[in-house]
Amino acid sequence: MLKPETYLREQIARALATAFALENDLEIILERPRQENFGDYATTVALGLAKTLRNAPRSIAETLLEHFADDAGLVEKTSIDGPGFINFTLKPTFWQQYLLQILSEGERFGASGWGGGEKVQVEFVSANPTGPLNVVSARAAAVGDVLVSLFNQVGFDAKREYYINDAGRQVRLLGASVSARYMQLLGHDEPVPEDGYQGDYVIDLAREILDEDGDRYAAQPKEERAEKLAEIALAKMIRLHQAAMEQYRVQYDVWFRESDLRRDNKHQQILETLKQKGLTYEKDGAIWFKSSDFGDEKDRVLITREGEPTYFLVDIAYHEDKYQRGFQKIYDLWGPDHHGYIARMSAAIQALGHPKDSFQVRIIQQVNMLRGGEVVKMSKRRGNIIEMQEVLEEVGIDAARFFFIMRKLDQPLDFDIDLAKKQTDENPVYYVQYAHARVANILEYARSQGVEIADEADVSVLREAEELSVIKKLAEYPEVISKAAKFLEPHRVTNYLMELAATFHSFYQKHRVVSDDVALTQARLKLVQGTKLVLKNALDLLKITAPERM
RNA sequence: GCGCCAGUAGCUCAAUCGGAUAGAGCGUUGGCCUCCGGAGCCAAAGGUUGGGGGUUCGAUUCCCUCCUGGCGCACCA
């Protein structure tokens, strides 16, 4: 498929080579002018070369254009504007043919190969199995899921992973909390530990266990009971989390258990490795890692005074395990409370000899749930939280995914529950889905009128401004995908969907697709099919329904 | 106190690696259905891009400084 950007870059590079004998390693910036009357593409090379060539930008641009060959004859018009922008307008013929190419690519349209099959992993959500999932988890789930899809679209071999912290202190606390509630239900006076889990879900867990297993744990010693109940409660919570992710259309490749790492003593091995590298020392009865040697603000404890491995040590082992499984790039999406944790993890990655940039963390910022204009606060410990399930049930999965993806991931997000529920034009999800339904309906209507949609059509009749605008907008799609993947910005896809929907609605309002003009009808049906295809491709990527009717 | 992120239209947000006249949606105002879905379209009003300096052909974007907001600074996870 001949991409306009690729072609123009190549032609410009050739012109530069013949005109100024410049090496071809120069990166040619090609952008889409903000304003349509400047043409389809613009380059700033002349501005950039002014210094090295010791010449005025406009003069450089002129010389360049004299040597611009346009081998394939795609360019209709070139111009030099402003301080030295070179603008290119492609022939309508090019765009008309491009529409057919988009259709022939089908669901592969938008995909590319620049990832080169590199193995990439995104770890996201990884919520503690000691409580219900909250809305930040819902946001992380949507974002992580779409990131992986984006990576795969552009040629990476990307996997989804969920890390389950099913070991350590938090789990012991859960056990003690469930145990207390269990005994309370049986009429005993066993208080929930002060730093334990206070949420109502703990009572629900205890009641469930009581219903299923009876009071058989009451006779056990407290410690033993807590341990047993921790095990049972944990299994229940994990199943809940897995069910929630599935319902949310997120398919993880791996659910990784911290307890497996501990069982295999992976953390001890890492400790040995760090010791051998001379990166540890003892102080105050604890074992420390010299993370400050690698950019962290201070050193960190690996083994506590009590001889317990810290979460950090086990986490280092976990990340090392990712590398050993062959991943070349590792992305972690963490919650806003893990901000201060990045530097030490990055230090550990480097200490183990991995490239610094092979490990990247993105903080999924806080979500403010607004109801009636008021922020609903949440705190897992107190149990006063908004659960992910509640949100999904209330606003629906399509709206939830769209809203969470719509914003840059490292910025706090205001989620207006009332808006997400509205089935009106205020709600962007419906705007986009409506465009798809409308497009589907046109095809349906054509068939009902006895119009046979031919495989081939003479698209050269598509000369109206609105028609070409739609094709040009469709043509932007692969670039949107590439950039969304490159910059980890899935919100580019939702923005694009809204633009494409608007461009199509605008065309639709002005021109009739199915008419007495047989040739024009066929050509416009191709335009409609192209729009449907790209809307569907993008919505599929986001795992949002593309309805045939609403 | 130190660190990270942010501050753009009344509100929620965009803005291509430093590019041209800073764009959308909602809200407001005014138009558009004998016709493929009006969950739509067209138009108008609305901006000192938090303030001040700097770098240069050019700054919302980079640097410095100040102001404001969020978050983080455990031998917790």
Side-chain angles (χ1 to χ4, degrees), chain A residues 468-504:
Chain A
L468 292 172
S469 290
V470 172
I471 301 176
K472 287 175 189 179
K473 189 52 81 175
L474 295 177
E476 280 179 32
Y477 181 62
E479 198 189 337
V480 169
I481 296 300
S482 300
K483 289 200 167 146
K486 187 175 175 186
F487 300 118
L488 309 184
E489 293 181 342
H491 75 278
R492 288 169 182 270
V493 182
T494 46
N495 282 351
Y496 171 77
L497 272 169
M498 288 188 271
E499 286 169 20
L500 175 57
T503 308
F504 182 81

Side-chain angles (χ1 to χ4, degrees), chain A residues 197-247:
Chain A
Y197 295 97
Q198 309 288 341
D200 286 348
Y201 67 92
V202 179
I203 303 174
D204 297 340
L205 281 170
R207 186 170 292 124
E208 230 181 280
I209 294 168
L210 192 58
D211 288 348
E212 286 166 15
D213 298 354
D215 62 357
R216 73 173 77 147
Y217 306 114
Q220 294 183 346
K222 196 172 166 183
E223 298 290 308
E224 222 172 277
R225 178 173 59 243
E227 201 173 312
K228 182 64 189 170
L229 292 182
E231 188 188 310
I232 299 170
L234 204 56
K236 285 181 181 298
M237 290 307 302
I238 293 170
R239 274 202 299 277
L240 276 176
H241 289 190
Q242 290 179 328
M245 287 301 139
E246 195 156 322
Q247 188 206 344

Side-chain angles (χ1 to χ4, degrees), chain A residues 169-188:
Chain A
R169 208 179 88 93
Q170 302 291 329
V171 172
R172 287 198 294 276
L173 273 174
L174 177 71
S177 308
V178 175
S179 168
R181 295 301 194 185
Y182 178 84
M183 294 308 277
Q184 285 169 17
L185 287 170
L186 288 167
H188 296 81

Side-chain angles (χ1 to χ4, degrees), chain A residues 112-118 151 153-156 478 481-483 485-487:
Chain A
S112 63
W114 64 259
E118 197 180 21
F151 286 147
Q153 276 283 298
V154 299
F156 289 95
I481 296 300
S482 300
K483 289 200 167 146
K486 187 175 175 186
F487 300 118

Side-chain angles (χ1 to χ4, degrees), chain A residues 353-395:
Chain A
H354 303 294
K356 189 179 179 185
D357 62 359
S358 66
F359 170 69
Q360 284 192 45
V361 179
R362 288 300 139 107
I363 296 294
I364 302 292
Q365 274 297 346
Q366 165 190 356
V367 177
N368 296 315
M369 299 304 287
L370 303 175
R371 200 191 292 277
E374 258 184 58
V375 179
V376 192
K377 278 274 172 194
M378 50 201 134
S379 147
K380 200 179 227 180
R381 288 304 182 107
R382 302 218 173 74
N384 172 26
I385 69 165
I386 301 183
E387 292 188 22
M388 176 171 161
Q389 291 294 51
E390 288 177 54
V391 177
L392 297 193
E393 274 161 33
E394 193 170 351
V395 308

Side-chain angles (χ1 to χ4, degrees), chain A residues 31-151:
Chain A
E31 50 195 28
R32 230 166 267 277
R34 280 190 216 263
Q35 279 170 243
E36 243 172 82
N37 57 344
F38 282 133
D40 298 324
Y41 294 93
T43 182
T44 56
V45 277
L47 293 161
L49 287 171
K51 234 170 223 167
T52 45
L53 292 177
R54 297 168 154 274
N55 200 348
R58 290 191 68 104
S59 148
I60 293 169
E62 272 168 41
T63 315
L64 193 154
L65 281 184
E66 278 162 26
H67 291 81
F68 186 78
D70 187 20
D71 294 330
L74 301 180
V75 178
E76 180 169 82
K77 194 180 89 183
T78 60
S79 63
I80 301 165
D81 297 292
F85 292 92
I86 304 173
N87 292 315
F88 301 91
T89 307
L90 301 181
K91 291 179 180 165
T93 325
F94 172 80
W95 295 112
Q96 291 152 1
Q97 290 306 311
Y98 201 77
L99 173 62
L100 297 180
Q101 289 189 54
I102 290 170
L103 284 166
S104 73
E105 291 230 338
E107 59 184 35
R108 279 179 29 256
F109 179 66
S112 63
W114 64 259
E118 197 180 21
K119 282 191 75 178
V120 166
Q121 186 213 61
V122 183
E123 182 213 327
F124 55 101
V125 182
S126 301
N128 276 331
T130 49
L133 294 165
N134 61 26
V135 286
V136 176
S137 296
R139 184 179 186 184
V143 169
D145 189 45
V146 172
L147 278 178
V148 171
S149 297
L150 283 167
F151 286 147

Side-chain angles (χ1 to χ4, degrees), chain A residues 285-325:
Chain A
I287 300 176
W288 296 70
F289 165 49
K290 291 184 191 170
S291 51
S292 59
D293 284 6
F294 301 91
D296 196 7
E297 60 187 27
K298 58 180 182 176
D299 295 341
R300 307 290 174 176
V301 171
L302 298 173
I303 301 286
T304 68
R305 206 180 303 146
E306 282 79 30
E308 285 258 346
T310 58
Y311 177 84
F312 179 44
L313 174 59
V314 183
D315 212 15
I316 297 173
Y318 172 48
H319 282 81
E320 176 58 23
D321 188 77
K322 295 183 184 189
Y323 283 101
Q324 280 171 11
R325 279 185 278 152

